[in-house]
Amino acid sequence: MVAITGTLIVQIAVFLALIWVLRRWLWGPLLGVMDERKKRIADGLAAAERGEHHLELADKRAREALREAKEQASEIIASAQRRADEIIDAAKVDAHTEGERIIVSARSEIEQQINLAREDLRRQVVALAIQGAERVLRREVDAAANEDVLEQLATQL
Amino acid sequence: MAGGGGESSSEYITHHLINWCIGCNPQTHAPSGLVDFSAFNLDVIIVSGFFAVGLAVFAWFMRRSWTAGTPGRVQYALEFIIEYINEQIQVTFPKANHYVGAMAITIFIWVFLMNAMDLIPVDLISSIAGGIGALFGVETVYFRHVPTATLDVPFAMAIVVFVLMVAYQFKANGPVGYVKRMLFHPYGKYGGPANILTTLIDDLSKPVSLALRLFGNMFAGELIFALLALLTFSALQSFSASVLWWAPTHFVTGVLWSLFDLLIAALQAFIFGVLTIVYLGMAQQAAEH
């Protein structure tokens, strides 16, 4: 009823065999699987952390780029403004000189016209004077003989 | 079978405590002495072998289906046990090789399954075995279906643990250290034979207590099932109570003790496994001189 029998030896053999079997097909594989899962989780966490870090970096970079772009844009606008001012100033100067030039040329033309008119007038006065003198003298004045007198008269007018 | 056919109460109980034995005394159906290596308990070998083979086949079929992804229920349950055992090993025994853990999980699952046989109705399997025996013309068939309620199964495991303990002590202390531990521990240089005696008791008490604790609990559990069956039937019968009385009484007491015995079955398997790790952990620590 209560005794140690030959069953003991059989049981030791069964026990050892079962340990070997479970070590090989249950304990070993499951432990491997658990270690692998542990590694996977650790990797996943590390990757997530890396991703977060990357995101932060990208965010910073994006902000930097935006700031730079804004700076550049305002710079461009400023330089364009400057350039426009320059162009306007130059145009003003050009217009001024052009106007002056036009005035000068108009003046000289007017003077020329005056001179021409004066010359014309002088000639007519000379002709009138000769006619008048002819009338007075009732004879022809020898224009050739009195040319120097007429010239002198013309210049005096 | 319970109390039936003119069988007396003590005959009923004794019938339950006799193994199906080959090489036993044909009259008493018992081994010739306390230690008799020519006798073999076939029922113990069949039931424990059934679970061992079942576990091996299960492990073999499942060996490739364990996944590092989301575990299924079975895998999760096993991982829970393995995780716990590993934790215990890490605490007491960080240098352990894989066989210590494998041994602990083998003990835990195998012993639990064998203990859980106690929950099968006490007369069911022996009745079936008796019926099969009757077909072959065998008059009385003895069949105990809880292998851990015999001395052989717990002692087989305890002896393996003990051998490993000695091996680890030897490895941790070296041959000289091992002898020194025997001679000078725990009373110092002048302790003499008292040292040897104490150390021997210290070492031997571990496997013996390990084995006897499991055996005692399971033997008692089995015995109480038989007693409950007997009490509810024969005691009420002697008060000429009808089947209307003893059937429900039997049912209630059986259920209550089953619930408690389930706890004992799990607890004893757990204790055996954890103490194995603890003892081996103690063994591999070099003794301080």
Side-chain angles (χ1 to χ4, degrees), chain B residues 180-197:
Chain B
K180 264 187 178 170
R181 180 178 169 275
M182 274 284 181
L183 293 178
F184 305 135
H185 211 251
Y187 303 123
K189 254 179 224 174
Y190 307 108
N195 279 335
I196 299 175
L197 192 68

Side-chain angles (χ1 to χ4, degrees), chain A residues 1 7 11, chain B residues 1 12-21 41-52 110-130 141-151 153-154 215 218-227 229 250 254 257-258 261 265:
Chain A
M1 193 165 81
T7 322
Q11 288 299 320
Chain B
M1 247 188 177
Y12 172 73
I13 295 291
T14 329
H15 182 102
H16 268 285
L17 298 180
I18 289 176
N19 283 97
W20 180 14
C21 181
N41 294 329
L42 276 184
D43 47 3
V44 171
I45 293 172
I46 288 170
V47 175
S48 66
F50 169 76
F51 284 123
W110 194 37
V111 169
F112 175 71
L113 288 173
M114 291 193 289
N115 287 353
M117 283 299 283
D118 219 356
L119 301 174
I120 290 179
V122 64
D123 284 318
L124 183 66
I125 289 185
S126 57
S127 302
I128 293 170
V141 173
Y142 298 101
F143 199 99
R144 287 178 69 191
H145 59 272
V146 188
T148 40
T150 62
L151 277 179
V153 179
F215 163 74
M218 297 330 291
F219 186 85
E222 192 190 25
L223 192 62
I224 285 174
F225 271 119
L227 283 172
H250 189 158
W257 183 246
S258 294
D261 203 58

Side-chain angles (χ1 to χ4, degrees), chain B residues 77-151:
Chain B
L78 285 169
E79 278 183 10
F80 176 74
I81 299 171
I82 287 176
E83 187 84 55
Y84 185 81
I85 290 172
N86 239 348
E87 219 167 83
Q88 296 300 314
I89 292 174
Q90 291 304 318
V91 169
T92 55
F93 198 178
K95 289 175 292 181
N97 70 15
H98 275 323
Y99 277 100
V100 175
M103 187 159 83
I105 199 173
T106 304
I107 288 171
F108 183 72
I109 299 176
W110 194 37
V111 169
F112 175 71
L113 288 173
M114 291 193 289
N115 287 353
M117 283 299 283
D118 219 356
L119 301 174
I120 290 179
V122 64
D123 284 318
L124 183 66
I125 289 185
S126 57
S127 302
I128 293 170
I132 294 171
L135 286 180
F136 291 99
V138 185
E139 215 167 288
T140 28
V141 173
Y142 298 101
F143 199 99
R144 287 178 69 191
H145 59 272
V146 188
T148 40
T150 62
L151 277 179

Side-chain angles (χ1 to χ4, degrees), chain A residues 105-147:
Chain A
S105 74
R107 258 195 207 136
S108 69
E109 194 151 316
I110 289 166
E111 213 142 297
Q112 217 174 335
Q113 290 293 329
I114 289 170
N115 284 347
L116 275 177
R118 207 176 267 165
E119 197 70 26
D120 202 24
L121 228 92
R122 201 185 289 150
R123 218 168 286 137
Q124 280 178 12
V125 168
V126 168
L128 269 175
I130 290 172
Q131 254 175 358
E134 270 175 3
R135 287 252 175 96
V136 170
L137 295 178
R138 290 271 175 214
R139 61 170 181 110
E140 240 178 283
V141 174
D142 188 3
N146 300 307
E147 196 160 2

Side-chain angles (χ1 to χ4, degrees), chain A residues 4-7 11 25 33 37, chain B residues 34 36 39 41 48 67 79 152:
Chain A
I4 288 181
T5 63
T7 322
Q11 288 299 320
W25 288 326
V33 154
R37 185 182 306 130
Chain B
L34 190 62
D36 177 9
N41 294 329
S48 66
T67 164
E79 278 183 10
D152 300 314

Side-chain angles (χ1 to χ4, degrees), chain B residues 169 173 177-185 199 202-203 287:
Chain B
Q169 280 168 352
N173 296 311
Y178 187 75
V179 174
K180 264 187 178 170
R181 180 178 169 275
M182 274 284 181
L183 293 178
F184 305 135
H185 211 251
T199 311
D202 185 23
D203 284 356

